[in-house]
Amino acid sequence: MNFTVAEALRLYPLSKGKVVAGKKGLLNEITSVSVLEIPYATKFLKKGEIEISAFYSVANSEVDQLKVIRMLYDCGSSGLILSHVGMILKTVPNSMIDLCNELNFPLIIVPPSTAYIDIISPILDRLLKTQNTQLAYAMKIYDTMTNLVLEEQDIESMLQTLQKLISRDVLLFNFNNELVCQSNPGINTE
């Protein structure tokens, strides 16, 4: 159920963008989206975040541009969307493309007229949809298990039901870490 860079590229207006490097990283998970204004403020970066930037503060320094790419990669960013290329950052240097390819770090260029909010909104909408789906699934499990408790079902029945809901074997341990019951008697518990 992960939302990947490849999936984000199907959303308009990112669908008008072009992946210029790091194509092997298109399966990187996106957990959030942010605008990169301060190129060395790693405390503001989150793992899984896709960054949007015009590279305004490093537009005149290829060395600094490469430092930012490496920093984003080291922080676990899922990729970089460059905006307004040709207006602020005149061109994307080959060294940046080479580094992104080496790191498998997606570098996406969107048309210069694309506003940040037009990129942020569809990504956030997709992330919220994923969270709502996960919440609905959790609520289904909660409701089902609550009903089994109210119906005074035995532990074995509850564990088997939970096993079906989550498609995983379930083991129940007491506070002494001793196995009390398991959903699948064939599980080796040693």
Side-chain angles (χ1 to χ4, degrees):
M1 228 198 265
N2 292 347
F3 176 49
T4 65
V5 175
E7 290 176 68
L9 288 168
R10 293 186 201 117
L11 303 173
Y12 181 83
L14 277 176
S15 58
K16 296 234 178 229
K18 181 179 180 188
V19 180
V20 295
K23 291 180 181 171
K24 290 183 180 177
L26 292 178
L27 294 180
N28 291 351
E29 180 180 8
I30 297 175
T31 58
S32 61
V33 59
S34 186
V35 175
L36 178 69
E37 290 187 60
I38 307 168
Y40 303 111
T42 57
K43 68 180 179 180
F44 297 113
L45 299 174
K46 303 208 176 348
K47 184 178 183 335
E49 196 167 68
I50 192 161
E51 301 294 333
I52 306 166
S53 183
F55 264 22
Y56 181 80
S57 62
V58 294
N60 297 320
S61 172
E62 192 171 321
V63 170
D64 287 341
Q65 294 165 19
L66 297 178
K67 285 181 184 177
V68 170
I69 296 293
R70 189 160 297 279
M71 183 241 350
L72 290 172
Y73 175 80
D74 290 344
C75 288
S77 293
S78 56
L80 174 64
I81 301 166
L82 279 179
S83 225
H84 314 303
V85 173
M87 297 167 61
I88 295 169
L89 180 67
K90 297 304 176 197
T91 62
V92 177
N94 286 333
S95 59
M96 188 188 308
I97 291 170
D98 291 343
L99 179 60
C100 288
N101 280 330
E102 175 188 325
L103 299 174
N104 297 323
F105 186 74
L107 179 62
I108 301 147
I109 298 177
V110 292
S113 61
T114 308
Y116 287 174
I117 192 65
D118 293 335
I119 299 167
I120 294 169
S121 292
I123 291 173
L124 286 179
D125 286 347
R126 178 57 171 75
L127 289 169
L128 287 173
K129 181 181 176 188
T130 298
Q131 289 175 350
N132 286 340
T133 301
Q134 291 171 341
L135 180 59
Y137 180 65
M139 290 303 299
K140 176 184 175 188
I141 292 171
Y142 174 81
D143 289 344
T144 301
M145 297 308 293
T146 300
N147 286 335
L148 291 176
V149 169
L150 292 173
E151 293 169 4
E152 298 181 4
Q153 294 290 321
D154 59 48
I155 293 290
E156 291 83 11
S157 297
M158 289 194 290
L159 291 185
Q160 288 173 352
T161 300
L162 183 58
Q163 176 188 25
K164 289 175 188 168
L165 287 170
I166 64 172
S167 301
R168 301 273 191 277
D169 290 327
V170 180
L171 303 173
L172 177 65
F173 293 87
N174 66 15
F175 63 92
N176 289 324
N177 206 26
E178 299 166 334
L179 181 65
V180 175
C181 189
Q182 57 194 68
S183 63
N184 177 355
I187 300 173
N188 183 359
T189 59
E190 297 180 31

